[in-house]
């Protein structure tokens, strides 16, 4: 992420210019996805005129945008023809099963970008400029979009999360998936364990997305829905495991401790509470992606954060859990942190 | 600029996530400058509470923003205290003579960012979404801001440009500085050659900035102003040299050829026309900064571009120049291209 000056090399202000222009990278990728450029490049032949025709766009615009994407490393250019890089072929060509172009809809949502225009003011006040509690206001429609579009990014975390939670168990069990969203984490539990029953908890419009995904995965007969707020609904149970994915970072520590206590009271003795989180190192400035995530919590919530492992462990302990373990997911910025009731 | 996957390493979508979040880097640096964080860090002691107090901001906001700046490489963090990096000390601390924090005002101007929200539509139509000819519309106030704030970025180019144009000459001469802006290029000629007289051409409100800079440099008695449009005013002359800095990239090739012809007719035989430009390699995708600059021209002009050396040479030739030479400025993304009348 950084292109800082290195010791010994002459100082240049390149990183400053680069940061001030970095917003262009976001707009360029979003525009390329909206124009379906990655499909056109995949179909070939890759010359400017052909891509412009396929995307119903001007040649000047296509040539300049595609060159910019090459500079960014998400296309290549050989003898004047644009080609996929391995990355763009895998993750941006809509014909690829791993395509995650849809995440640009959530991450590029103007509602998520808006607070960044007021960032100095947000830093002054210390909380989101969105109304109320920001993205965690009840029934915020952004979470339907999250559920509908972020699956391709979160899906690859589901397998490793399921493996940590299940440890190979195929015993009958009941699992609660709090803030289920797209539902992929609970669905993965049901896929890995044919005797697992899963209850997805989220706001009702979001759960419709989870149920549709459960149907696609063929596990909907073992998938139940519990619509409402995680802070208000009766969880039922007792459960063998509770998933708390991408959730704690939205709230302050006391709120999380209360929530973890409520979760513990819905778990069988020895049951597992598993969070999936961006967990920066204790220095809070590494690794880049988890550390940088705090800024999204500053701009979109009243008091959320990317918590360090010691902070998460303290919250688990205060809520009465034991045996707290951390499981970084390889090749990803995410970590599973699990405690036992 | 690129964090693309490398051959042999497992593929990850990190670059895609990074691009979609890159806009945060722009907002973070702009907010830090607006909050005067780099001054507070320079003054020390660098703990969150002190910086928050110095910047009249919340501790949560300051801690999260400063951590983000560390991730970006424009601050460091040691034992919980924020310190300058060599880069931020030199170029972002307002106490440094090389501070260029002011460029965030021009590069972060909402009028320059606005078109990026419509980038897909701009690529479809092939031209800026701004009214008329975009930033080169007559009297566009953005150029007053450019003149007032971009000096610290452009100033370091002035010495090398002056050396190329003068080649050590201290003979009496008359130099026309077209699109003078902050005036620093022409002023540098007057500084390097005490017998040079300089005429700055730009819109009148912009020339006021140039004249003030000439006064600060002590060369205002040899600095004349020619207010108006480079396409419309009579240049006078004949001149020994004409500077065309950061100008040709706003226009299409035929417009530039006409302009270069008009310049040639105002030059003495053998006189020099020197452009300062972002000049990408012929592949148009390297080096990163000059190549990426085309996108700014797509979004802000009707037909501008970052021209390659072969394109600039062709324009010079068509306008009747000879002896065309290119002089890349070390440690910068800029190149001086010069032709003889």
């Amino acid at each position: 992420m950084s292109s800082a000056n290195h010791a010994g090399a002459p100082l240049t202000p390149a990183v400053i210019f680069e940061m001030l222009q970095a917003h262009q990278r976001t707009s360029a990728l979003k525009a390329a996805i909206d124009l379906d450029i990655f499909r056109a490049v995949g179909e070939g032949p890759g010359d400017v005129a052909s891509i412009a025709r396929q995307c119903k766009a001007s040649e000047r615009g296509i040539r300049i945008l595609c060159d910019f994407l090459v500079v960014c490393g998400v296309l290549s250019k050989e003898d004047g023809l644009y080609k996929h890089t391995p990355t763009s072929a895998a993750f941006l060509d809509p014909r690829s099963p791993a395509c995650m172009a849809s995440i640009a809809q959530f991450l590029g949502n103007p509602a998520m970008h808006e607070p960044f225009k007021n960032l100095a003011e947000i830093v002054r006040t210390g909380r989101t400029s969105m109304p109320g509690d920001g993205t965690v206001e009840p029934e915020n429609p952004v979470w339907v979009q999250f559920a509908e579009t972020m699956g391709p990014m979160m899906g690859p975390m589901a397998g490793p999360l399921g493996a940590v939670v299940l440890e190979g168990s195929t015993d009958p069990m009941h699992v609660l998936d709090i803030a289920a969203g797209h539902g992929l984490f609970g669905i993965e539990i049901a896929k890995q364990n044919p005797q697992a029953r899963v209850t997805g908890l989220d706001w009702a419009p979001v759960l419709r997305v989870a149920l549709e995904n459960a149907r696609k995965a063929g596990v909907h007969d073992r998938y139940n829905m519990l619509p409402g707020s995680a802070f208000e609904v009766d969880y039922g149970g007792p459960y063998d495991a509770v998933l708390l994915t991408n959730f704690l970072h939205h709230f302050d520590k006391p709120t999380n401790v209360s929530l973890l206590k409520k979760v513990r009271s819905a778990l069988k003795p020895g049951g597992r509470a598993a969070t999936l989180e961006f967990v920066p190192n204790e220095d809070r400035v590494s690794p880049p992606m988890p550390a940088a995530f705090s800024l999204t919590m500053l701009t979109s919530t009243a008091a959320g954060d990317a918590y360090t492992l010691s902070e998460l462990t303290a919250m688990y302990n205060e809520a009465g859990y034991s045996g707290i373990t951390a499981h970084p997911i390889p090749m990803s910025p995410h970590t599973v942190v699990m405690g036992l009731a």
Side-chain angles (χ1 to χ4, degrees), chain A residues 62-72 75 77 82:
Chain A
I62 288 292
R63 188 255 302 164
I64 290 176
L65 179 58
C66 287
D67 282 344
F68 190 89
L69 296 170
V70 173
V71 172
C72 294
L75 281 183
K77 189 177 184 183
Y82 300 98

Side-chain angles (χ1 to χ4, degrees), chain A residues 263-318:
Chain A
V263 166
R264 192 167 66 86
S265 70
L267 279 166
K268 294 176 186 167
R272 297 160 170 220
T275 60
L276 180 80
E277 284 289 338
F278 290 98
V279 182
N281 294 330
E282 299 301 326
D283 64 12
R284 288 193 175 283
V285 294
S286 64
M289 277 176 66
F293 185 71
S294 286
L295 192 65
T296 300
M297 292 302 100
L298 174 65
T299 55
S300 62
T301 72
D305 214 336
Y307 292 109
T308 65
L309 183 56
S310 68
E311 290 174 320
L312 289 166
T313 301
M315 291 182 233
Y316 267 105
N317 279 326
E318 196 177 334

Side-chain angles (χ1 to χ4, degrees), chain A residues 19-79:
Chain A
M19 282 181 75
L20 289 172
Q21 301 288 63
H23 70 99
Q24 299 186 350
R25 297 161 56 84
T26 301
S27 298
L29 184 51
K30 178 77 161 55
I33 289 169
D34 290 348
L35 289 161
D36 221 5
I37 283 179
F38 296 103
R39 183 193 303 274
V41 167
E43 289 176 351
D47 61 294
V48 167
S50 298
I51 298 171
R53 204 164 44 239
Q54 287 159 285
C55 297
K56 299 184 173 52
S58 70
E59 294 192 14
R60 176 181 183 234
I62 288 292
R63 188 255 302 164
I64 290 176
L65 179 58
C66 287
D67 282 344
F68 190 89
L69 296 170
V70 173
V71 172
C72 294
V74 289
L75 281 183
S76 69
K77 189 177 184 183
E78 294 164 34
D79 300 326

Side-chain angles (χ1 to χ4, degrees), chain A residues 188-305:
Chain A
E188 178 69 19
I189 297 283
K191 284 163 71 177
Q192 289 189 19
N193 178 352
Q195 298 211 74
R197 284 181 304 127
V198 176
T199 297
L201 188 163
D202 212 319
W203 289 315
V206 181
L207 280 181
R208 282 195 282 275
V209 182
L211 187 65
E212 178 56 26
N213 284 333
R215 199 167 277 133
K216 284 183 196 157
V219 301
H220 53 286
D221 54 322
R222 291 179 287 127
Y223 198 88
N224 299 306
M225 297 193 291
L226 182 55
S229 156
F231 296 98
E232 289 164 17
V233 299
D234 182 348
Y235 292 165
Y239 296 94
D240 298 275
V242 176
L243 313 183
L244 270 167
T245 57
N246 294 313
F247 196 58
L248 299 187
H249 53 241
H250 294 102
F251 310 103
D252 65 15
K253 292 175 187 175
T255 303
N256 286 331
V257 171
S258 309
L259 187 82
L260 286 165
K261 283 180 179 168
K262 182 177 176 185
V263 166
R264 192 167 66 86
S265 70
L267 279 166
K268 294 176 186 167
R272 297 160 170 220
T275 60
L276 180 80
E277 284 289 338
F278 290 98
V279 182
N281 294 330
E282 299 301 326
D283 64 12
R284 288 193 175 283
V285 294
S286 64
M289 277 176 66
F293 185 71
S294 286
L295 192 65
T296 300
M297 292 302 100
L298 174 65
T299 55
S300 62
T301 72
D305 214 336

